[in-house]
Amino acid sequence: MQIIKVALENIKSYRKAVIYLGQGTTAIRGHNGAGKSTLVEAIGFALFDFLPYSPASRFVREGEKLGKVVVTFISALDDRVYEVERRVALSGSGGWFVFDPELRMKPAEGKEDTLDFLRHHLGMHTTLPLPDLFDNAVAVQQGTFTADFLQTASVRKKKFDALLQVEEYRSAADALRETASYLKDQLAGHDKTIERLAAQTADLPSWRAERAELAAAIVSLGEQMAQLVEERAAVEQRRDELTARQAEVARLEGERERAHSAWQVAQVRWQTAQGEADRAAEA
């Protein structure tokens, strides 16, 4: 949240005043009784429901019946500008609401709704009451800044545990314990998976070397197979040639047999003729 303007009307020493606040640190100076503390009180009254004194009617300028504080701020929730107006009367409730100048409407009205709206737009996620937050952390009163550190341990613990949201963090830690246990189990499971995969892949370099050797052997066998195919083709060609020669030899042997048979027949005829010739010569 960034406060950009504080407007006062009939508040203590202020009849009517508008104070603009820029980004960063703003220093307010003035003589005693000039109204420096009143500006801080006005912010606490309008945004945190805090006044360091009671009744609230003491906040009204002397001689007036009604006082008004308007604090304009940029929300920490949606970065939009809102105006918180709180009135204080000498008698009865003065009124308290939030005004949206852009939409021209009141998104919250009344103490309960306004405090709930402010808690969200202040970015407050603690259950600490807003008055305690303002008094003990936002605007510690002059001269009491170190007073809490001088208290007993039990008093300090109660106050600072609330400011530091110790219980909220403890509750959040308890709520996350189951999630942390689940994540721890998941992590352990992943570690086991990693170990198993690491064991399975430990022999990967030797497997790659063996694969390379097998690939080289396949290439060598392929070359040998190609050579054997060539040799087989040459052998088959030689076989075909020998088969053809064998057929030629068989044909020639057949012709020789036929010629031999013819010769034998001729020899018989010659012998017969020779016998007849011999008989004719004798006759």
Side-chain angles (χ1 to χ4, degrees):
M1 168 187 282
Q2 177 190 345
I3 298 174
I4 57 179
K5 185 174 67 174
V6 179
L8 307 175
E9 185 175 337
N10 294 329
I11 297 295
K12 296 184 87 169
S13 61
Y14 293 94
R15 181 176 297 280
K16 195 169 187 179
V18 178
I19 297 92
Y20 293 91
L21 303 176
Q23 292 185 346
T25 302
T26 300
I28 301 174
R29 63 185 182 89
H31 299 292
N32 290 338
K36 302 185 297 298
S37 298
T38 302
L39 293 177
V40 178
E41 292 171 358
I43 292 173
F45 183 62
L47 299 184
F48 295 87
D49 193 28
F50 175 81
L51 271 180
Y53 42 77
S54 182
S57 58
R58 293 171 54 188
F59 207 36
V60 180
R61 180 181 173 84
E62 187 176 353
E64 302 294 341
K65 295 182 180 180
L66 180 69
K68 182 173 68 174
V69 177
V70 180
V71 178
T72 304
F73 68 91
I74 299 175
S75 169
L77 181 65
D78 56 18
D79 290 327
R80 298 184 63 242
V81 175
Y82 295 96
E83 297 175 356
V84 179
E85 181 173 326
R86 188 168 190 183
R87 300 179 181 182
V88 55
L90 292 180
S91 60
S93 175
W96 195 7
F97 62 87
V98 180
F99 181 71
D100 186 332
E102 182 180 355
L103 300 179
R104 308 296 299 173
M105 60 173 291
K106 296 178 181 179
E109 189 169 8
K111 182 174 182 177
E112 184 176 348
D113 289 346
T114 300
L115 283 174
D116 185 63
F117 180 93
L118 290 172
R119 181 176 291 276
H120 282 85
H121 287 262
L122 281 167
M124 292 298 303
H125 304 293
T126 175
T127 58
L128 181 68
L130 290 182
D132 292 345
L133 176 66
F134 185 81
D135 186 34
N136 296 322
V138 178
V140 179
Q141 296 183 41
Q142 184 177 356
T144 63
F145 187 77
T146 61
D148 291 333
F149 296 93
L150 302 177
Q151 299 291 333
T152 62
S154 60
V155 174
R156 292 199 309 270
K157 175 177 173 55
K158 181 178 180 180
K159 180 166 290 188
F160 287 113
D161 280 2
L163 288 173
L164 298 174
Q165 305 179 50
V166 173
E167 287 301 323
E168 285 83 349
Y169 282 116
R170 182 178 290 112
S171 298
D174 292 339
L176 290 174
R177 187 170 289 113
E178 183 177 349
T179 301
S181 178
Y182 171 78
L183 292 176
K184 184 178 180 180
D185 293 341
Q186 290 293 308
L187 183 61
H190 291 324
D191 288 341
K192 290 181 179 178
T193 301
I194 291 172
E195 291 178 1
R196 176 173 55 80
L197 293 176
Q200 292 176 356
T201 57
D203 296 331
L204 187 59
S206 61
W207 293 345
R208 287 176 174 171
E210 184 178 352
R211 179 178 178 274
E213 293 176 359
L214 292 175
I218 290 173
V219 173
S220 178
L221 290 174
E223 294 174 351
Q224 293 179 17
M225 182 176 293
Q227 183 177 356
L228 290 174
V229 169
E230 292 179 357
E231 292 177 357
R232 176 185 174 185
V235 169
E236 288 179 348
Q237 184 179 0
R238 180 62 176 165
R239 182 200 62 188
D240 293 341
E241 291 176 355
L242 292 175
T243 301
R245 289 183 181 183
Q246 184 180 15
E248 182 66 17
V249 169
R251 185 183 65 78
L252 292 173
E253 286 180 351
E255 290 181 356
R256 184 181 68 80
E257 291 293 333
R258 287 192 295 274
H260 182 69
S261 296
W263 177 80
Q264 287 179 337
V265 171
Q267 186 70 23
V268 171
R269 288 177 178 178
W270 178 80
Q271 290 177 352
T272 300
Q274 186 68 35
E276 290 178 354
D278 291 340
R279 286 192 296 272
E282 292 178 356

